[in-house]
């Protein structure tokens, strides 16, 4: 067999000009290339090309070991396509999260700037947040009320209770 018989025509020049030269110079070349199978189809292979030299340094014979890497290439293509898909999904999700964060910032500003007193509680009825208007009306700071129940704002006997009744 000749090199031209087993390598696609498009790869023959590269094989002759690069791969063969490296093997002749260095004694070995390894990498990926394509071979033509019996049916005339190209198959990707991992190849080692060895130049066996005589004692005088002349190349006596070339030998090669090739391994079919068709399945490896299919897996690489699948991973590349999956990676592209996931990159696209990350970009889409990032845009969605940026939009959601912008809406959240608007809602937060609305709560903080509201002329009405606002209390935000968790599902158990414990205070998570009060806005500045409620702080001004009640005298309680956010730090004082977080984790407590809204009943803390009921009119009472202390200074804050009297203030609350006056408003």
């Amino acid at each position: 067999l000749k090199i031209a018989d087993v390598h696609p025509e498009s790869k023959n020049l590269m094989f002759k000009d690069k791969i063969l030269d490296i093997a002749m110079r260095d004694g070995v070349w390894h990498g990926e290339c394509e071979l033509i199978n019996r049916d005339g189809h190209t198959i990707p292979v991992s190849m080692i090309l060895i130049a066996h030299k005589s004692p005088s340094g002349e190349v006596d014979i070339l030998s090669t070991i090739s391994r079919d890497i068709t399945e490896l290439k299919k897996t690489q293509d699948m991973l590349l396509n999956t990676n592209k898909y996931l990159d696209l999904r990350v970009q889409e999700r990032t845009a969605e999260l940026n939009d959601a964060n912008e809406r959240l910032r608007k809602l937060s500003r609305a709560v903080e700037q509201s002329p009405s007193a606002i209390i935000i509680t968790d599902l158990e009825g414990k205070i998570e947040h009060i806005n500045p208007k409620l702080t001004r009306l009640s005298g309680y700071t956010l730090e004082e009320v977080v984790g407590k129940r809204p009943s803390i704002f009921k009119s009472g006997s202390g200074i804050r209770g009297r203030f609350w009744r006056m408003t």
Side-chain angles (χ1 to χ4, degrees):
L1 286 176
K2 296 178 190 170
I3 290 173
D5 295 334
V6 294
H7 288 280
E9 191 174 315
S10 62
K11 306 294 182 184
N12 268 331
L13 189 58
M14 181 185 75
F15 191 85
K16 288 178 188 173
D17 289 348
K18 294 186 180 172
I19 296 172
L20 203 52
D21 285 347
I22 293 169
M24 301 282 272
R25 182 190 70 222
D26 300 341
V28 68
W29 174 88
H30 58 86
E32 294 180 2
C33 61
E34 294 177 337
L35 295 179
I36 301 173
N37 68 10
R38 290 180 188 180
D39 300 331
H41 296 97
T42 60
I43 56 170
V45 295
S46 174
M47 177 186 280
I48 298 173
L49 180 64
I50 303 167
H52 301 272
K53 296 181 181 183
S54 67
S56 65
E58 296 294 316
V59 175
D60 282 338
I61 190 170
L62 293 171
S63 66
T64 185
I65 301 169
S66 299
R67 182 175 59 103
D68 182 348
I69 56 171
T70 302
E71 290 304 313
L72 174 66
K73 290 297 184 182
K74 285 179 185 176
T75 301
Q76 287 175 338
D77 288 345
M78 182 191 71
L79 288 172
L80 183 62
N81 289 334
T82 300
N83 191 43
K84 287 177 184 177
Y85 169 77
L86 291 174
D87 281 346
L88 180 61
R89 286 295 297 136
V90 165
Q91 290 173 9
E92 291 170 352
R93 187 67 180 127
T94 299
E96 291 170 5
L97 290 172
N98 287 339
D99 290 346
N101 282 335
E102 182 56 31
R103 288 191 306 273
L104 186 58
R105 280 189 286 278
K106 286 178 184 177
L107 282 172
S108 179
R109 282 193 305 270
V111 166
E112 295 303 305
Q113 297 171 2
S114 176
S116 301
I118 298 174
I119 301 172
I120 299 174
T121 64
D122 62 16
L123 294 175
E124 296 175 1
K126 294 180 183 174
I127 297 172
E128 290 184 341
H129 186 77
I130 60 172
N131 71 339
K133 178 67 174 191
L134 185 54
T135 296
R136 284 192 299 279
L137 290 174
S138 70
Y140 285 105
T141 65
L142 176 62
E143 293 76 21
E144 292 175 298
V145 298
V146 167
K148 297 189 172 48
R149 300 207 177 272
S151 58
I152 192 171
F153 296 111
K154 287 184 180 176
S155 297
S157 58
I159 295 172
R160 290 180 179 162
R162 284 194 295 273
F163 175 82
W164 188 252
R165 282 193 303 270
M166 290 174 20
T167 57

